[in-house]
Amino acid sequence: MFEATKVGRTVSKDDFKAQQEALRTELLEAQRELRETNIPVVVLVSGVEGAGKGEVVNRLNEWLDTRGVQTFAFWDETDEERARPRYWRFWRTLPPRGEITILFGGWYAAPIEHRFAGQCTDAELDSELNRIVEFERMLTQDGALIVKFWFHMSEENQKASLNALSRDDRSRWKMMPQKAKFSEHYRTFEQVAERVVLHTDQGTSPWYLVEAEDARYRDLTVGQTLLHAIRARLDSPAAPDQSAGTVSATMPSGPQAQITVLDQLDLSKSLSAAKYKTRMTELQTEINELAWSAYKAKRSTVLMFEGVDAGGKGGAIRRITSAIDARLYRAIPVAAPTDEEKAHHYLWRFWRQVPRAGYITIYDRSWYGRVLVERVEGFASDAEWRRAYAEINRFEEQLVGSGIVLLKFWIHIDQDEQLKRFQDREETAYKRYKITADDWRNREKWPAYQEAVNEMVARTSTQHAHWTLVEGNDKHYARVKVLRTICEALKAALENGRPSLSGYVPCGDKRPMAESGAPAGAKDAKGKG
């Protein structure tokens, strides 16, 4: 497939000068129009070594208004990045709507390098590429424009280019001599690249192959292609492929649809005050010890709480945080998204809060707002909330696959108990802040929320991230069940010493964590393992 990038296309100096001014003007105008839209643009720059990727990116920053462009290179992983799922570093770099981000290699660099080095099989590579396809589809369905450039040249031209770069003291190539292995095995690298490009060349995020031998031709081609892609998107602002992106499950209709998974909960379950006090003391002591053990073992934990208004989420969370050293956790109350959060994919704000190895993040409400509040209140379109089930499942799979202990709690109470708690909040001065007009209004939509919760559990209670439904009418019983579930999960994770997804190590993430938190096999300053 790369034959088309080895035909010797060139552009003369005069032609380049004549075309450059008009192209730059049009790019700046397109960028100005882009700022007024909800379209984030991701430009991925990849290809063979020595093809001038850095020169192209410098040229784009010269032609565009750099106030709306950010550039990221993923060279060495920081300790902060190694302590989290691999895609955390990419989510942090995604642009807000109306702006452009240029990524060197992006999420393709590691899979290509690992397959080239024989660190994974073709099957493992294909599995990672499937994840990439779904990731890019998720971004494009949310409105993003992804423009992917692959720069290529013949083996002979690459050798000449690298020889020239090796004599340039300013060249990154001279600073990273380990990349020389790619040119030494040109055909092997090309075979891996072809597999990657063919597998991920999708209609919503296609690859553009660019012949890189002649710098003027290369730069003009990239600028014109980027301009055309932005213009096409501006002329058709609706995000492509608005399908749900997952197989549609058949949900019941008719009278049987009124019976939900929540109706199966025995809300009469309770615990005496004396037994509650004893069990709570035991469980809080245990969870404190387990939290420190998880910290030492570099096992992160994500606790996520959902439930009806006044269901007892806050009370359960306080019983957890009061037992754990405050340095080990962060509690994140999730409210309506800020303007900055609205400017990104809805999962962006949750990726930002993923804990580093050994720490705990507690979400009071979560990413499930997309299929609950946003669905019922009409804040998300049908296409948006329907495809969110698959997006959430993939998000959680990545968390668990990286070694995170993920627990999802739905705390449920009946309508009579909710009314009682609402009235108590209105009558008690220090609780009054908890009750709002929205809480009363939401009671009127109880059946709609019940239906949404039922479908949420059916579609997102997976083997690696199942829901724990908590009977919440009795606060004592609910709190004990929550803490007991956490303790049991942490003990199991620490005993197993592996992620919950057995053997889940994607081709792009060959960095299992050692007990010290450094990648397995890392050496100390004395060169010892």
Side-chain angles (χ1 to χ4, degrees):
M1 64 177 291
F2 292 123
E3 287 79 3
T5 64
K6 304 174 185 179
V7 297
R9 300 180 182 89
T10 61
V11 171
S12 70
K13 186 180 295 186
D14 290 340
D15 285 344
F16 180 82
K17 186 176 181 179
Q19 295 182 57
Q20 177 182 220
E21 185 174 350
L23 176 58
R24 182 177 185 179
T25 301
E26 290 185 69
L27 278 170
L28 287 169
E29 177 59 23
Q31 187 182 12
R32 184 191 65 78
E33 293 180 35
L34 189 67
R35 288 197 182 99
E36 307 302 318
T37 72
N38 288 325
I39 305 170
V41 178
V42 178
V43 179
L44 271 162
V45 174
S46 195
V48 299
E49 291 298 328
K53 298 184 286 290
E55 295 174 1
V56 172
V57 172
N58 289 337
R59 181 78 75 179
L60 288 176
N61 276 280
E62 175 189 333
W63 286 343
L64 294 164
D65 183 347
T66 54
R67 291 172 294 181
V69 181
Q70 292 193 77
T71 301
F72 296 93
F74 303 101
W75 293 345
D76 298 324
E77 282 185 302
T78 65
D79 290 342
E80 192 177 23
E81 291 171 337
R82 280 196 294 268
R84 291 180 170 87
R86 189 171 75 92
Y87 275 70
W88 181 77
R89 69 196 311 217
F90 305 127
W91 276 94
R92 296 176 73 205
T93 64
L94 292 179
R97 304 187 193 282
E99 296 191 12
I100 301 171
T101 286
I102 302 174
L103 305 179
F104 278 95
W107 36 87
Y108 287 98
I112 291 173
E113 292 185 13
H114 292 152
R115 183 65 192 103
F116 173 79
Q119 296 176 351
C120 65
T121 64
D122 281 341
E124 290 174 320
L125 174 62
D126 290 345
S127 294
E128 177 65 12
L129 297 179
N130 287 337
R131 279 185 281 272
I132 288 175
V133 168
E134 292 303 318
F135 176 55
E136 292 179 351
R137 180 181 293 127
M138 178 175 63
L139 297 181
T140 56
Q141 287 175 337
D142 188 60
L145 170 63
I146 302 177
V147 186
K148 303 185 297 191
F149 292 104
W150 182 273
F151 298 92
H152 212 76
M153 55 174 52
S154 67
E155 183 175 8
E156 180 181 355
N157 288 327
Q158 186 193 43
K159 287 181 178 178
S161 175
L162 295 179
N163 285 334
L165 288 172
S166 67
R167 296 189 295 271
D168 184 354
D169 290 336
R170 299 169 299 174
S171 171
R172 166 178 166 265
W173 176 260
K174 194 165 187 176
M175 297 168 62
M176 301 184 71
Q178 68 272 23
K179 294 287 185 179
K181 63 181 182 293
F182 294 151
S183 62
E184 294 171 1
H185 303 279
Y186 175 90
R187 287 181 176 79
T188 301
F189 184 82
E190 189 176 62
Q191 289 171 0
V192 174
E194 181 174 293
R195 189 182 191 94
V196 169
V197 171
L198 286 173
H199 197 119
T200 58
D201 187 34
Q202 304 293 312
T204 53
S205 55
W207 280 100
Y208 296 96
L209 305 184
V210 180
E211 185 172 356
E213 179 183 351
D214 181 77
R216 289 187 290 268
Y217 170 82
R218 177 197 65 202
D219 294 358
L220 280 178
T221 300
V222 170
Q224 292 165 350
T225 303
L226 179 60
L227 174 64
H228 175 78
I230 294 175
R231 275 279 163 227
R233 188 57 195 283
L234 289 172
D235 293 341
S236 180
D241 188 13
Q242 289 289 336
S243 62
T246 184
V247 176
S248 178
T250 301
M251 302 305 292
S253 59
Q256 67 272 25
Q258 298 174 11
I259 301 174
T260 71
V261 67
L262 299 177
D263 295 315
Q264 308 305 311
L265 295 177
D266 181 2
L267 298 180
S268 66
K269 290 182 177 180
S270 62
L271 207 61
S272 68
K275 193 168 184 180
Y276 167 73
K277 185 175 180 180
T278 300
R279 287 294 290 136
M280 186 57 62
T281 300
E282 295 170 350
L283 289 167
Q284 287 186 319
T285 300
E286 185 176 14
I287 201 172
N288 175 269
E289 295 172 354
L290 288 167
W292 280 114
S293 296
Y295 170 76
K296 293 174 184 176
K298 301 298 180 184
R299 290 300 297 271
S300 307
T301 304
V302 170
L303 306 176
M304 188 274 292
F305 289 85
E306 291 282 0
V308 300
D309 296 327
K313 297 182 298 297
I317 291 171
R318 282 194 297 276
R319 271 62 187 182
I320 299 167
T321 57
S322 63
I324 300 175
D325 192 301
R327 291 167 292 187
L328 296 182
Y329 72 84
R330 289 190 64 199
I332 311 293
V334 177
T338 64
D339 289 343
E340 182 186 22
E341 290 166 345
K342 289 179 184 176
H344 293 83
H345 191 282
Y346 74 96
L347 287 176
W348 177 79
R349 61 171 168 161
F350 302 109
W351 268 103
R352 297 173 74 197
Q353 307 293 353
V354 170
R356 64 178 298 152
Y359 291 84
I360 301 169
T361 294
I362 304 171
Y363 291 97
D364 184 352
R365 299 209 182 274
S366 68
W367 44 92
Y368 283 97
R370 174 56 57 106
V371 296
L372 294 174
V373 175
E374 293 184 37
R375 166 185 173 169
V376 175
E377 303 297 336
F379 298 145
S381 68
D382 278 1
E384 288 173 331
W385 66 257
R386 288 184 187 281
R387 67 172 178 261
Y389 298 116
E391 295 171 349
I392 288 170
N393 285 337
R394 287 191 291 270
F395 169 48
E396 293 175 351
E397 182 181 7
Q398 290 184 66
L399 298 185
V400 176
S402 70
I404 290 175
V405 179
L406 172 62
L407 296 175
K408 307 186 298 187
F409 295 97
W410 177 273
I411 304 180
H412 194 62
I413 58 176
D414 60 32
Q415 286 182 286
D416 291 339
E417 179 64 23
Q418 185 187 59
L419 178 60
K420 177 183 175 182
R421 295 184 186 183
F422 277 9
Q423 292 171 340
D424 179 58
R425 288 179 175 184
E426 286 189 328
E427 294 167 3
T428 306
Y430 67 86
K431 293 183 179 180
R432 204 165 291 149
Y433 77 95
K434 294 183 177 182
I435 190 74
T436 66
D438 284 341
D439 293 330
W440 287 106
R441 184 178 58 81
N442 288 342
R443 274 180 61 84
E444 301 173 5
K445 297 186 177 182
W446 186 278
Y449 276 102
Q450 292 277 97
E451 180 184 350
V453 172
N454 188 70
E455 189 166 2
M456 174 193 76
V457 172
R459 290 175 181 259
T460 63
S461 195
T462 61
Q463 184 177 2
H464 58 268
H466 65 270
W467 279 95
T468 299
L469 305 180
V470 181
E471 301 85 347
N473 271 15
D474 182 79
K475 293 181 179 180
H476 291 170
Y477 179 86
R479 292 167 184 170
V480 167
K481 181 172 181 177
V482 167
L483 264 70
R484 186 180 69 245
T485 302
I486 296 170
C487 288
E488 290 173 353
L490 285 176
K491 280 192 293 186
L494 292 170
E495 289 171 3
N496 292 338
R498 297 186 60 168
S500 297
L501 287 180
S502 179
Y504 176 87
V505 182
C507 187
D509 196 1
K510 294 296 181 183
R511 49 188 180 108
M513 302 302 296
E515 185 145 307
S516 66
K523 296 181 179 180
D524 61 20
K526 296 180 180 179
K528 298 180 179 180

